[in-house]
Amino acid sequence: KQYFDDEQFGYDEMIHKIIEKEEIKDYYPEFMEYRDQCRFLGCVHIHEPDCCVKEALEQGMISKARYENYKQFYEEISTRRKY
């Protein structure tokens, strides 16, 4: 599986792939350990309360740069037009 910030998987390629915003978290393996512990099923780890991914971020268990990268991709895909 490729990850969104891999050098071989560029930003333009990601934007043009057909991917839903809810699927982006699957490309961040460091989220895997925490995401099933979130309060809400389907948590996207951005605005929800009691999010274990955000708690891991605050504790330094997840890279702030990687999390910011995730949020950027999430927002970009959230606002793209679907044709």
Side-chain angles (χ1 to χ4, degrees):
K1 188 177 225 181
Q2 292 178 312
Y3 305 112
F4 283 147
D5 64 351
D6 283 352
E7 290 180 18
Q8 298 163 337
F9 191 87
Y11 179 78
D12 291 336
E13 182 180 352
M14 187 280 302
I15 289 297
H16 293 104
K17 279 194 170 279
I18 298 173
I19 187 168
E20 298 299 322
K21 63 186 177 186
E22 295 82 9
E23 297 172 329
I24 298 171
K25 63 188 173 201
D26 297 334
Y27 291 86
Y28 288 80
E30 61 268 58
F31 291 9
M32 300 282 183
E33 181 179 345
Y34 308 102
R35 70 183 194 177
D36 292 335
Q37 301 169 34
C38 294
R39 177 177 173 191
F40 296 103
L41 184 64
C43 182
V44 295
H45 319 303
I46 296 181
H47 303 295
E48 301 89 346
D50 301 323
C51 171
C52 289
V53 169
K54 291 189 303 184
E55 289 175 15
L57 173 70
E58 290 173 14
Q59 295 172 3
M61 305 300 285
I62 293 176
S63 160
K64 184 172 175 71
R66 286 276 293 158
Y67 182 76
E68 292 300 322
N69 176 267
Y70 165 75
K71 285 190 353 183
Q72 177 185 351
F73 285 138
Y74 185 90
E75 293 302 321
E76 297 241 356
I77 289 175
S78 294
T79 59
R80 77 171 178 211
R81 290 183 176 181
K82 293 184 178 184
Y83 294 95

